[in-house]
Amino acid sequence: MNDKLNNLSVGEAQACVLRYVPPGGSEAVPLEQSLGRVLTEDVRANRDLPPCDVSAMDGFAVRSNDLVGDDTVLTVIGDIKAGDRPRQAIASGQCARIMTGAPLPPGADAIVRVEDTQALSGARIGIAAPVKAGKDIRVQGEVMQNGETALAAGTEITPGAVGVLASLKRARVSVRRRPRVAILSSGDELEALDAPFDPERIPESNAYALMAQTQALGIEPVYLGIARDDPEELAGCLRQGLAHDVLLVSGGSSVGAHDHVRPTLEALGVTLHFWGVEMKPGHPVAFGTRDQHLVFALPGNPVSSMVCFEQFVLPALRAFMGHARLFRRTVTATLTQAVKHRPGRAEFVRVTLQRDANGRLTAASAGGQGSDNLCSMARADGLLILPEHCAGLAAGATARVQLFDGAGFEVASGFMEKMEETP
Ligand code: AMP
Ligand code: MG
């Protein structure tokens, strides 16, 4: 084996994968289905927003020059609501009642809020204090100007962006397509979810966890089932998987007597770009391509396959879909306990996160760290990173933690009183 292919660092392996990710083509989708996708076109404003100077408040449109001293009295000459087109000019000593979003009438140059006025008899109001020209006016085009690029190609469509696109009357938008992802498990010992219970066998869980990780990125994967440790059966399943943009196969990727995945992939014309990454868990991961199709041979151990998905598959799928942010966000957290580590391989520790009384984020082990222990994976908020050169960390030291999806949410609101305990 060429040693450039073997035992890469996590960073080298990530860079290698990203070199081979083809850009997904684009497709038009209805606006309501565009959330989370990436725009492939610049979207320009087709009008000024707001379309003219409008009021930012419910109140009265006035001439600021009229309000020089205290206690000015003005005559109300009209009522303007959003969508009206006021033509009558406000003359000195006059004002108009105006609602939020309604166009400013000619002559007026400021808004006085209802709360700052006093209703008087005979369609008149009293205003106690002066107001500056421009007060509480939204200027024409201040949100966006006709012709300007409101959202550039490459923008990820957030709920706010959906609102912008609706304002621009874009019922359909052009976005990067999603990859077709196939997921295969391999191993004679595996018991399918719907197979009869057999205490001697190992329940197949990898494909389900990998499917969930894929779905969390907005991609609906295809499950190809379980291939037995038989080169011919395996070849048939892998051939089917290679028809997809991305194939994930777990198990059989190591050097055991029954690990046929790598030689079978090569026999099918897949070029392997690396196998073996200096990481724990996840060392036996391999990556290859055939034409523009990507194949990840993930380790069989359930946590290892999930951690390898996070490090290598996730950025590849996001790159395919056009995202600029390819990796999980990391935060710095303080360790509540010491973590042992021998320099050599980068290590990913399953941790839970909590905020302490001083507002600091703290990380504690989520439980047993065996690469078969899915329970600690299920509890974890993220993966604490021990870089390959690290010689262990003491309690109170800080480290980076890659956040899982659920860790984007908090128990406390920061505004509310403590939640009532449920009886
Ligand atoms: P392997 O890489 O095939 O040697 O598998 C390593 C370990 O992971 C073995 O104990 C397997 O039983 C287990 N394993 C492999 N594939 C799966 C799977 N799909 N679901 C659960 N465990 C698995
Ligand atoms: Mg196996």
Side-chain angles (χ1 to χ4, degrees):
M1 175 60 65
N2 178 341
D3 62 2
K4 270 195 205 133
L5 301 181
N6 198 207
N7 296 333
L8 272 61
S9 70
V10 173
E12 286 168 341
Q14 288 172 329
C16 173
V17 168
L18 293 175
R19 272 201 295 280
Y20 290 97
V21 177
S26 70
E27 61 182 352
V29 296
L31 180 59
E32 312 87 277
Q33 286 163 30
S34 67
L35 182 65
R37 308 293 292 273
V38 174
L39 277 174
T40 51
E41 52 173 342
D42 288 342
V43 179
R44 293 182 193 286
N46 55 358
R47 62 175 80 181
D48 287 346
L49 276 180
C52 57
D53 294 355
V54 300
S55 175
M57 294 286 167
D58 290 336
F60 293 89
V62 302
R63 301 167 67 102
S64 58
N65 280 343
D66 282 353
L67 310 182
V68 278
D70 297 345
D71 296 324
T72 311
V73 174
L74 299 176
T75 304
V76 184
I77 62 158
D79 223 323
I80 310 165
K81 28 184 218 319
D84 284 352
R85 286 195 187 183
R87 302 199 193 280
Q88 190 182 356
I90 306 294
S92 185
Q94 296 181 331
C95 67
R97 182 176 289 107
I98 192 165
M99 304 299 133
T100 304
L104 203 66
D109 67 354
I111 304 296
V112 178
R113 299 185 302 173
V114 182
E115 301 90 305
D116 298 334
T117 66
Q118 200 193 346
L120 303 175
S121 61
R124 291 174 315 145
I125 57 163
I127 300 173
V131 61
K132 283 206 181 95
K135 177 80 177 140
D136 287 326
I137 290 172
R138 297 177 184 159
V139 179
Q140 175 176 348
E142 81 176 28
V143 176
M144 60 180 91
Q145 290 183 3
N146 191 15
E148 122 186 10
T149 301
L151 296 172
T155 300
E156 180 181 319
I157 302 180
T158 59
V162 170
V164 171
L165 290 162
S167 306
L168 301 178
K169 305 193 66 71
R170 295 299 308 261
R172 291 176 79 77
V173 287
S174 171
V175 297
R176 277 282 192 98
R177 87 171 167 86
R178 296 183 176 120
R180 286 180 286 267
V181 178
I183 298 178
L184 175 70
S185 290
S186 77
D188 284 344
E189 76 283 21
L190 299 178
E191 178 182 282
L193 195 61
D194 57 359
F197 181 84
D198 177 350
E200 311 272 289
R201 300 178 77 194
I202 303 291
E204 135 83 317
S205 60
N206 286 359
Y208 292 90
L210 292 167
M211 285 194 284
Q213 287 177 297
T214 307
Q215 286 165 335
L217 302 179
I219 301 163
E220 200 48 58
V222 176
Y223 179 36
L224 300 180
I226 301 168
R228 301 290 146 201
D229 290 324
D230 163 69
E232 232 167 90
E233 181 176 332
L234 187 62
C237 295
L238 291 173
R239 196 176 287 119
Q240 201 186 338
L242 283 165
H244 298 75
D245 296 305
V246 179
L247 167 62
L248 311 181
V249 48
S250 76
S253 71
S254 197
V255 289
H258 305 285
D259 292 338
H260 304 298
V261 169
R262 278 193 280 129
T264 309
L265 284 172
E266 288 185 302
L268 289 171
V270 171
T271 306
L272 288 177
H273 301 297
F274 65 75
W275 69 271
V277 175
E278 295 291 9
M279 64 190 282
K280 186 185 159 196
H283 181 262
V285 60
F287 167 70
T289 54
R290 192 176 77 178
D291 304 322
Q292 299 227 306
H293 303 260
L294 312 183
V295 192
F296 294 87
L298 303 171
N301 277 303
V303 176
S304 311
S305 83
M306 291 188 74
V307 169
C308 288
F309 182 99
E310 292 289 308
Q311 309 314 318
F312 308 115
V313 182
L314 176 145
L317 298 181
R318 285 183 62 83
F320 189 100
M321 293 188 288
H323 290 278
R325 300 181 203 181
L326 299 182
F327 302 100
R328 291 278 188 203
R329 183 176 293 282
T330 63
V331 293
T332 301
T334 305
L335 295 175
T336 59
Q337 61 219 114
V339 186
K340 287 194 192 134
H341 183 246
R342 248 186 308 124
R345 290 181 179 175
E347 188 169 346
F348 297 89
V349 183
R350 283 147 267 168
V351 295
T352 56
L353 294 173
Q354 235 182 336
R355 219 166 269 292
D356 69 9
N358 304 318
R360 271 186 326 185
L361 213 50
T362 61
S365 168
Q369 298 289 328
S371 57
D372 58 345
N373 192 334
L374 274 176
C375 292
S376 56
M377 194 66 177
R379 265 191 299 272
D381 290 317
L383 296 172
L384 183 133
I385 302 167
L386 296 168
E388 49 200 62
H389 52 79
C390 170
L393 293 171
T398 57
R400 307 291 287 171
V401 177
Q402 276 179 5
L403 297 180
F404 290 155
D405 290 317
F409 298 91
E410 291 223 51
V411 175
S413 89
F415 295 96
M416 251 165 67
E417 291 298 312
K418 201 163 167 260
M419 290 243 286
E420 297 280 324
E421 301 265 334
T422 38

